Amino acid sequence: MDFSISRETEELREEIRQFIKDYPPDEFPVQAADDFWGNGGYSYEYTRKMGEAGWLSLTWPEEWGGRGRTILDKMVVAEELAYCRAPHSFNLMLDGMSNHIITHGNDYLRKEILPKIAKGSIVFWLALSEPNAGSDLLALQTKAEDRGDVFVVNGQKIWSARAHMADYGYLITRTDPNVPRHKGLSMFIVDRKLPGITIEPIINLVGENYHNHVYFDNVEIPKEFLLGKKNEGFYQMLKGLEMDRFWARYQKPAICKRVLDDLIDYCKNNSRNGKPLYQNSVIRQKLAQTATEIETCRLVFYRMAWMLDQKVPIRHETAMGKTFADEMGQRLMDLAMEILGLDCQLEEGSKSAPFKGLFERWYLISRGHTIAGGTVEVMKDTIARMGLGLSKK
């Protein structure tokens, strides 16, 4: 395992830093705020600008218009974007979807969808979880009936993040109810504008529409939008979940490092009871502990990036990374509340709110991070079973 950064990768780091200088993130409109994943806010305009500069297809094979760079290269770019809070949250799903389409898609999907992803002109949402199928996705009931040139879909999805803002969904359905649960599933790319799709908002703790209910009522999906082979979606889903847990968390160390640096700066410039905060022994120890956790988390994801580049399967490793990153983020927000005091509970727009109320928002949002994408309890069970060999039987 070699974590040293090559000259080419360092040049790429300088290239993305120049891009950030040329196109300051604060100058772009944001359609939805930063949710503390490390991807910044949601900005169609910034996503398109990144597409124009070739950043969205960085790791794609050259035959599909990419630059053929490594996953480690992608991580270095992502760290720079996350630290400056660039509004590139739409990129998260674009990374995962492009990988799936390149790997499992037919020529039609590759030619029709990949160029749009590369340009940043479309965005995606996940249509996986259902009211009775969350951690146990095999219990899903949404059905797709094969009717020749189309599949007719009926059912409901839930917790579909930003579906109301997306163009296409990554949908899993049951296409054969007469076989064991894991053998009758199929994956589709679904156009949100198709007749029969209804989206209803779910309002979160900060009063925003992040997740959604999505209903499918006789939705006709052209056969060309079947992703992979019919009834083999289970294996694609597993790989997709592992990749999602990697792509959705690999920027967490960088944004946490930014928060840590902000807190350190605050402690250097503020006092309590006539004594600078940075001289408080408890605060110093907690800041040092946080710095250690952030660097550890960063190396966990660097190892996974190396494994992906070497074509080594990642199984329980993504569960480790997700669990560590999500719990670390929650602990960091707890620490921010302790250091900043009661004023940290003031919302955005309040005159005395530290950091313009950002940490109050992130504290509330981070409570759901250990649930999204697989609960921390399920993740730890995955680690026990697949990493430690601890069978339940």
Side-chain angles (χ1 to χ4, degrees):
M1 217 179 310
D2 185 4
F3 288 166
S4 61
I5 303 299
S6 67
R7 178 179 58 82
E8 292 80 7
T9 301
E10 286 297 343
E11 290 174 353
L12 192 67
R13 187 192 300 276
E14 292 304 316
E15 186 180 341
I16 189 62
R17 285 177 175 173
Q18 187 60 50
F19 174 84
I20 293 169
K21 289 179 181 178
D22 292 341
Y23 304 101
D26 291 342
E27 295 182 3
F28 285 79
V30 173
Q31 287 76 41
D34 189 338
D35 294 313
F36 191 45
W37 297 109
N39 305 97
Y42 295 77
S43 172
Y44 296 116
E45 293 80 4
Y46 199 80
T47 299
R48 286 194 289 268
K49 184 59 66 175
M50 290 192 67
E52 292 173 8
W55 294 111
L56 301 183
S57 53
L58 183 69
T59 59
W60 297 8
E62 294 181 5
E63 64 182 292
W64 294 110
R67 296 170 64 176
R69 301 300 293 256
T70 66
I71 302 296
L72 188 58
D73 288 339
K74 179 77 173 179
M75 279 201 65
V76 167
V77 169
E79 285 178 340
E80 298 297 324
L81 291 166
Y83 190 84
C84 72
R85 297 174 181 161
H88 64 296
S89 276
F90 285 130
N91 299 13
L92 169 62
M93 285 301 300
L94 296 183
D95 286 332
M97 291 305 96
S98 59
N99 287 330
H100 283 296
I101 292 172
I102 289 172
T103 304
H104 302 291
N106 52 45
D107 286 343
Y108 176 84
L109 285 177
R110 289 170 178 164
K111 293 176 181 178
E112 176 69 18
I113 302 296
L114 286 181
K116 296 177 181 178
I117 294 178
K119 294 176 182 177
S121 61
I122 59 172
V123 293
F124 282 80
W125 93 88
L126 283 179
L128 302 180
S129 297
E130 298 184 4
N132 295 309
S135 296
D136 181 16
L137 274 176
L138 290 180
L140 68 87
Q141 298 177 359
T142 297
K143 298 179 181 179
E145 182 181 349
D146 190 345
R147 294 188 184 175
D149 293 335
V150 299
F151 285 88
V152 178
V153 178
N154 286 280
Q156 177 186 357
K157 297 295 179 178
I158 196 172
W159 308 122
S160 295
R162 303 298 184 193
H164 60 296
M165 303 174 67
D167 302 288
Y168 291 91
Y170 179 65
L171 172 68
I172 185 166
T173 69
R174 189 165 299 285
T175 43
D176 188 345
N178 300 315
V179 296
R181 294 194 310 168
H182 68 287
K183 291 186 176 181
L185 304 179
S186 299
M187 305 295 305
F188 296 90
I189 300 296
V190 55
D191 188 335
R192 183 174 66 88
K193 297 183 179 64
L194 287 176
I197 295 178
T198 303
I199 297 177
E200 293 182 355
I202 298 173
I203 305 303
N204 64 14
L205 282 175
V206 296
E208 297 176 358
N209 176 197
Y210 178 74
H211 291 106
N212 299 273
H213 298 278
V214 182
Y215 301 92
F216 297 84
D217 183 11
N218 290 319
V219 177
E220 296 186 357
I221 301 178
K223 269 200 169 177
E224 292 81 5
F225 286 81
L226 173 67
L227 191 60
K229 296 181 180 179
K230 180 182 174 181
N231 295 330
E232 294 186 8
F234 172 72
Y235 305 102
Q236 294 170 224
M237 178 187 72
L238 286 182
K239 190 171 182 180
L241 287 173
E242 296 307 307
M243 291 297 291
D244 173 58
R245 289 163 187 161
F246 173 78
W247 292 114
R249 269 67 178 191
Y250 77 136
Q251 297 186 82
K252 199 62 168 286
I255 187 58
C256 287
K257 179 64 165 61
R258 172 64 184 271
V259 172
L260 176 64
D261 288 348
D262 287 343
L263 290 175
I264 291 171
D265 186 66
Y266 182 88
C267 290
K268 288 179 178 178
N269 293 284
N270 289 273
S271 300
R272 188 169 297 156
N273 299 323
K275 186 177 181 180
L277 285 172
Y278 73 87
Q279 292 182 6
N280 183 297
S281 61
V282 174
I283 290 177
R284 292 167 66 89
Q285 289 183 21
K286 289 190 175 182
L287 290 172
Q289 176 65 30
T290 300
T292 304
E293 291 182 9
I294 290 172
E295 184 60 21
T296 301
C297 187
R298 180 171 178 258
L299 291 176
V300 167
F301 281 96
Y302 265 57
R303 178 172 180 266
M304 278 191 278
W306 176 85
M307 292 174 70
L308 289 169
D309 281 332
Q310 300 301 315
K311 309 301 182 185
V312 177
I314 54 173
R315 301 168 64 196
H316 64 281
E317 289 85 0
T318 54
M320 286 181 170
K322 178 193 181 302
T323 300
F324 197 108
D326 290 342
E327 293 187 332
M328 177 184 72
Q330 290 181 346
R331 287 192 293 269
L332 179 55
M333 286 299 105
D334 292 343
L335 178 59
M337 284 286 179
E338 292 178 21
I339 291 175
L340 300 176
L342 292 177
D343 284 350
C344 194
Q345 298 179 37
L346 295 174
E347 297 179 354
E348 183 179 1
S350 300
K351 183 178 179 180
S352 301
F355 299 97
K356 300 181 179 179
L358 182 63
F359 292 167
E360 182 270 346
R361 184 177 186 279
W362 284 359
Y363 176 86
L364 293 173
I365 285 178
S366 68
R367 301 303 102 180
H369 285 189
T370 49
I371 300 173
T375 67
V376 67
E377 292 80 10
V378 171
M379 293 299 99
K380 289 180 179 179
D381 184 69
T382 299
I383 296 167
R385 287 186 295 104
M386 303 181 72
L388 305 180
L390 301 177
S391 172
K392 289 185 177 181
K393 297 181 179 180

